[in-house]
Amino acid sequence: MFKKTFNIMLSALCCTALLTACGGSSSSNSSEESTEETANDGTLKVTPEKPNIGGKFGKAFDIDDRDYTLKIEDGWGGDKKAKMSITVTRNDVKPSVNFDEIAGSHDAGKKYVGDIEAEFLDENEDVLFTARVSLGNYTDIDKLLTLEEGDKTTITVSAYEKEDVIMKAKKFRLTSKLENNSHAGKPGSVTDDLEEQMDALGKAADAVGAMVGAAAKAAEAADEISKR
């Protein structure tokens, strides 16, 4: 009788140990999966397409060549906020504009207002959406423009976009923008800006063409009247 009771107790202990081991393994796997999901939630790794900032600043700044973390935060109106900080270094390239005349805000009293746009690209290098520095903190532009050669700073770009669009991002490129500051009196102009000069010439040519066309129509009308 004692032997039978001992065997029953031994079997019960074995079953308990087995269930405990299985339960512990399941709990461990669940914990690992949860940690992985948390680590991947709300962030995305992207890399720079080009090694420097293009556009109006004349490629005077280099981008650290590494993976960057694009954060996806709560937004508004069904969109998410995409936000990313980028490390930038002043190089030895002479800019095509005078940085002393540029600020990140219209209220700074400088002749020009500068900004930097980040275009985020998908795996086919098609543009998905554009983020800007000025959307988050325009003082990043002011810090950037006062760097000495070899100095580094961090700029942060932000945008509001649909989450499924943001999640397709693989690469990004930075382009500097410049506009006249309407708050600083008479707007200036960038004399070495070929695009603006060509645009002005194109508009002038269009105006001349319109005048020639109008004169031709008037001559035709006069000729028609004289034949009557």
Side-chain angles (χ1 to χ4, degrees), residues 38-49:
T38 302
N40 292 332
D41 183 40
T43 62
L44 192 65
K45 296 294 184 182
V46 293
T47 56
E49 182 202 41

Side-chain angles (χ1 to χ4, degrees), residues 197-213:
Q197 293 177 23
M198 293 302 294
D199 183 60
L201 287 173
K203 289 179 179 178
D206 289 341
V208 171
M211 292 172 63
V212 171

